[in-house]
Amino acid sequence: MRRLVIALALIAASVGLAPIPAEAAPGFSTAYQRIPGAGGTELGAVVLTPTGQGAGPFPLVVMPSSWGVPNVEYVGQGSKLATAGFQVISYSSRGFWDSAGGIDIAGPPTVADVSDVIDWAGEHTPADTSRVAAVGISYGAGVSLLASAQDPRIKAVGAMSGWADLIASLNPHDTVNLQSVAALLALGNLTGRPGPEMQSLQTKFVGGDFDGAIAEAEAIAPVRSAATMVDKINANHPAVFLANAFEDSIFPPTQYTDFFTRLTGPKRLLFAHGDHATPEVTGAIGLPNEVWDELAPWLRHFLTGADNGADQEAPVQLKSQRGVWRSYPNWAAVGTPRTSYLSKPAGLSRTGALQGSAATGWSNAIGAGVPTVADSGVAILSGALQGLLSIPTGVAMPLVDRSFAGVWSGPTYSSRTVVNGSPRLHVTVTPSGANTSLFAYLYDVDALGGGSLISHKPFTLRAVTPGVAREVDMRLEATSWEVPAGHHLVLVVDTVDPRYLGRSSLGTTVRFSSPAGDPAWLSVPVA
């Protein structure tokens, strides 16, 4: 595996990453290095050093690789940064490919590796280790955020398609993201060497001990989640650049918005449609890319003090599914909540209404444990189709079986409306079983009943008393979605989604209700 990565690095050099003579125009040289990480563990790294730009020192950009991806991941973008005068080190994360050690799921040694790479750069390259950025996609993003809490030399962070809260990402509302977890485990075993933490988790997961795996994950997650270290990050005051996809099936966007809101230093948040890493992956290999085009000036301003206006742009920027960017001063400003109350589903179609006034005293039961045609799609694939080809996760609304789903329909919009932010659902439910999973979907539906998925969220009730009513408050994932005139919103809640490890059992039921004094409602933020 190490030889393969070295070969890839050499191939990259042969197609345009070869050293440029110092007397030529600004360029860079390329070298493969074995860098000692935490505990002396060797990390395979591609080192890109500016040439033709003086002797330095140069601001340093450290780039930990994504989960399952080798160090050549960032060579395309790294070459641009090096040509622009940054010392760049892109390395394979601990336990993957040509780096030694075991995969510890962003544990303390993996985070400490970032600081050791900075130390090495100070001794072996013309890097200025007082001006450092940590930049990465996915796993590299999470590690970069965690490192910024530990190392005050990190003055800027670029965290794309990453996580701030590991449990909120992979086990939202106590509902395991089954497809994503399985894919991560498979890729980790294929491209790396699982460490003790990963081995223990996957033994339980593969053996069907899901409760044991969840408990173990919850125990190790805090030290692996930047959300628990936000005070340390704020104390170090790095300039934090976050980017993500609205449909990210591994690290969904709302856990990023929560983290972003708590940051007190310079910060930027960019969201666009797509699935995990799709908005920025083309930029990593050097192709034109909106996210990286925003990140590069961010790094230059906060590492060199360049007066390029990067600090003056709107902190929050959202791109709708129609390709329109909109800017906001903070997350609270992206949308104004509009609350609709849920009425009792009635008539042959058993569809309720989203209406302006509260309707209380009603209840409606559905069967649990049976899938409907409403679901969140396939992890990675469905969101990528939305982001890259504008093909949404769709549903034929008339085919949603009302025996196994609650369905509420809103009024037709007379003009285009932009759903902007995180919709919220509040409803009282009474399950007949001890364990029940609920899946809420918000659709943009046309006059013929064709629905496009705007947002969704799972919610699992575990070990509850059957027959006892419980309030459910569910915040759906953030979005920026333009609903055309003539369309309307539809809320669907059912009990099975193939993307998740659901807990609903055949033969059980769920009763939705809107008690007096506590009406059921859906709040949709509108730009």
Side-chain angles (χ1 to χ4, degrees):
M1 188 175 291
R2 173 183 171 184
R3 291 178 180 176
L4 175 60
V5 174
I6 295 173
L8 289 172
L10 292 174
I11 292 172
S14 71
V15 295
L17 302 182
I20 298 176
E23 67 273 16
F28 60 94
S29 64
T30 307
Y32 178 86
Q33 298 287 348
R34 305 289 294 172
I35 298 176
T41 298
E42 287 194 334
L43 308 172
V46 176
V47 180
L48 306 175
T49 302
T51 58
Q53 304 176 62
F58 303 105
L60 173 64
V61 180
V62 176
M63 309 176 85
S65 74
S66 300
W67 184 275
V69 184
N71 48 37
V72 293
E73 174 182 13
Y74 306 113
V75 167
Q77 190 61 221
S79 66
K80 292 184 176 182
L81 291 171
T83 302
F86 293 90
Q87 176 69 54
V88 179
I89 300 180
S90 171
Y91 68 92
S92 303
S93 293
R94 171 182 294 257
F96 289 102
W97 291 91
D98 56 331
S99 287
I103 304 169
D104 60 8
I105 317 176
T110 291
V111 176
D113 286 340
V114 177
S115 294
D116 285 332
V117 169
I118 296 172
D119 292 341
W120 183 91
E123 296 175 3
H124 297 88
T125 74
D128 181 351
T129 57
S130 68
R131 298 183 293 159
V132 181
V135 174
I137 296 174
S138 186
Y139 192 61
V143 171
S144 294
L145 285 172
L146 291 166
S148 73
Q150 307 299 332
D151 196 325
R153 295 175 296 180
I154 297 174
K155 305 302 183 185
V157 178
M160 296 161 282
S161 294
W163 78 93
D165 189 322
L166 202 55
I167 292 298
S169 297
L170 298 177
N171 188 37
H173 290 316
D174 220 4
T175 316
V176 175
N177 190 337
L178 182 64
Q179 291 183 4
S180 296
V181 170
L184 289 170
L185 291 177
L187 184 60
N189 282 276
L190 180 66
T191 61
R193 297 162 300 283
E197 300 92 344
M198 182 176 168
Q199 289 176 358
S200 179
L201 282 171
Q202 71 180 11
T203 296
K204 291 181 174 64
F205 186 81
V206 174
D209 181 10
F210 300 117
D211 289 341
I214 292 169
E216 192 167 315
E218 289 176 339
I220 69 171
V223 74
R224 292 164 167 82
S225 297
T228 65
M229 303 181 184
V230 69
D231 290 342
K232 290 184 177 181
I233 295 175
N234 287 335
N236 288 339
H237 205 66
V240 179
F241 180 103
L242 303 173
N244 204 352
F246 287 119
E247 291 84 10
D248 194 316
S249 53
I250 300 178
F251 303 129
T254 301
Q255 49 95 30
Y256 247 19
T257 64
D258 291 344
F259 175 69
F260 173 83
T261 301
R262 296 175 62 196
L263 291 172
T264 58
K267 58 184 178 179
R268 178 87 63 82
L269 178 68
L270 270 68
F271 280 162
H273 284 272
D275 212 305
H276 187 62
T278 57
E280 62 272 350
V281 67
T282 56
I285 61 176
L287 297 177
N289 181 271
E290 292 176 308
V291 177
W292 286 94
D293 288 347
E294 291 291 317
L295 175 58
W298 181 265
L299 299 179
R300 180 164 293 282
H301 174 80
F302 287 103
L303 294 188
T304 72
D307 186 14
N308 57 12
D311 59 327
Q312 301 300 315
E313 294 190 29
V316 178
Q317 300 179 26
L318 310 181
K319 187 179 183 181
S320 75
Q321 93 282 14
R322 303 288 183 184
V324 178
W325 283 100
R326 295 179 173 88
S327 301
Y328 305 92
N330 51 60
W331 181 250
V334 304
T336 301
R338 293 184 181 176
T339 299
S340 299
Y341 294 96
L342 279 58
S343 69
K344 180 179 181 178
L348 294 177
S349 65
R350 298 185 66 205
T351 298
L354 299 172
Q355 57 190 32
S357 58
T360 61
W362 63 263
S363 66
N364 179 66
I366 63 170
V370 177
T372 71
V373 294
D375 63 46
S376 60
V378 179
I380 303 298
L381 176 61
S382 295
L385 289 174
Q386 172 63 67
L388 300 176
L389 300 175
S390 297
I391 300 174
T393 300
V395 68
M397 198 56 63
L399 300 182
V400 177
D401 192 335
R402 271 64 169 178
S403 299
F404 303 104
V407 181
W408 292 270
S409 180
T412 300
Y413 287 114
S414 59
S415 61
R416 184 194 64 180
T417 300
V418 181
V419 177
N420 231 39
S422 299
R424 291 175 178 267
L425 172 64
H426 173 83
V427 65
T428 298
V429 300
T430 306
S432 69
N435 300 294
T436 302
S437 293
L438 302 173
F439 301 93
Y441 313 96
L442 185 63
Y443 288 99
D444 167 6
V445 181
D446 62 26
L448 298 178
S452 299
L453 184 63
I454 297 175
S455 181
H456 82 284
K457 195 76 170 190
F459 193 104
T460 294
L461 299 168
R462 295 183 60 201
V464 300
T465 303
V468 175
R470 297 177 63 92
E471 294 180 12
V472 169
D473 287 291
M474 190 185 306
R475 183 171 47 148
L476 280 65
E477 291 301 337
T479 189
S480 181
W481 189 279
E482 299 184 29
V483 182
H487 288 209
H488 61 285
L489 299 181
V490 174
L491 170 70
V492 177
V493 183
D494 65 12
T495 62
V496 177
D497 189 305
R499 182 184 295 191
Y500 298 92
L501 177 64
R503 299 303 181 105
S504 304
S505 300
L506 281 171
T508 61
T509 63
V510 176
R511 181 171 297 276
F512 302 106
S513 61
S514 183
D518 187 20
W521 50 263
L522 174 71
S523 178
V524 177
V526 175

